[in-house]
Amino acid sequence: MAGFRSLARQVRDPRCDLALRRYSLRKCLERFAPYGHRATWDHLCSRAGFGPEDRSPDPVRLVAALDELEEARAVWLAYEVEFAERRKKEKHDGLRRPGSVDDWHRMTWGGFGVAWCDDPAVHPREPLAEVLRRLIAALEREPGSACPVCGGEQLMWRYDLDHEPSSGPVCTDCGILVPRPVLTPESLAYARRARLLVSA
């Protein structure tokens, strides 16, 4: 099974058939897809300027989509290195029990679904790398009351998400499943109440 880097080389290789280059970009999303496979694909297509169903997109646009994905992956891999170093130091210092950020991080190892978007058509508009930088910054500071990606304050608790965790606070503005560790207990309670008010 090809890794991310070898797939990326195929996307860039002008000697490869265009269908293979597009297929290779899709396969990259099996290795790294911050919004989930379908939402990340929709995001990359809209940012690079080709349709999700376009079977023969402009190769320059395919490479532009790959460039954005690679930049975001570099941001996430750097965070994972820092995270692993921090946990190693904490264990050395006797802190064996992981915190809530660690629990969340274990479910997103490798970068799949870091900023999960259950609706593939609703996702942040900013570049993927910027979205991940904002998310990482939020994980490294005290919890807040708004979406760390877009600043939206309308969070609603959703169930039966196609992800783990299968329920949680979703930003109604940008569509991401907001990691619980970045929100205050009051914000989480408010998101649950908002869900109940809509259901009533």
Side-chain angles (χ1 to χ4, degrees):
M1 184 189 269
F4 186 95
R5 287 186 195 148
S6 64
L7 290 165
R9 277 194 297 273
Q10 287 179 343
V11 175
R12 285 200 168 85
D13 190 345
R15 296 168 301 174
C16 288
D17 175 77
L18 187 54
L20 174 62
R21 293 174 74 179
R22 179 187 180 278
Y23 174 78
S24 297
L25 180 59
R26 290 292 303 250
K27 292 295 279 183
C28 283
L29 300 184
E30 292 178 11
R31 313 299 183 277
F32 180 73
Y35 302 154
H37 190 280
R38 291 174 33 207
T40 305
W41 178 248
D42 189 81
H43 170 86
L44 291 174
C45 292
S46 63
R47 297 249 325 142
F50 61 93
E53 300 302 323
D54 188 349
R55 298 291 179 210
S56 55
D58 180 344
V60 172
R61 294 179 187 273
L62 274 180
V63 172
L66 176 63
D67 287 343
E68 179 172 345
L69 188 65
E70 284 180 320
E71 182 185 1
R73 184 172 179 261
V75 168
W76 186 252
L77 291 177
Y79 170 72
E80 286 194 335
V81 167
E82 290 174 13
F83 177 87
E85 288 171 359
R86 178 181 60 81
R87 281 300 295 143
K88 185 177 179 181
K89 183 182 180 317
E90 287 173 350
K91 287 179 183 178
H92 180 267
D93 294 344
L95 182 62
R96 298 281 176 197
R97 185 177 197 137
S100 61
V101 170
D102 304 318
D103 290 339
W104 171 82
H105 189 269
R106 194 170 37 257
M107 288 185 276
T108 59
W109 190 259
F112 186 83
V114 172
W116 180 261
C117 297
D118 215 51
D119 181 343
V122 180
H123 44 73
R125 291 179 182 85
E126 297 80 11
L128 283 171
E130 178 57 28
V131 168
L132 294 183
R133 285 186 195 100
R134 291 177 188 179
L135 192 61
I136 290 166
L139 290 165
E140 294 173 344
R141 66 176 179 254
E142 291 298 311
S145 60
C147 172
V149 170
C150 71
E153 295 186 354
Q154 296 300 313
L155 306 176
M156 183 174 294
W157 201 269
R158 298 260 167 87
Y159 293 93
D160 299 322
L161 299 173
D162 215 6
H163 184 59
E164 186 58 42
S166 61
S167 67
V170 172
C171 176
T172 60
D173 293 325
C174 72
I176 73 158
L177 171 62
V178 180
R180 294 180 203 182
V182 307
L183 296 172
T184 62
E186 295 78 19
S187 297
L188 291 169
Y190 180 80
R192 284 187 176 101
R193 280 196 305 277
R195 165 71 182 176
L196 293 173
L197 291 173
V198 169
S199 322

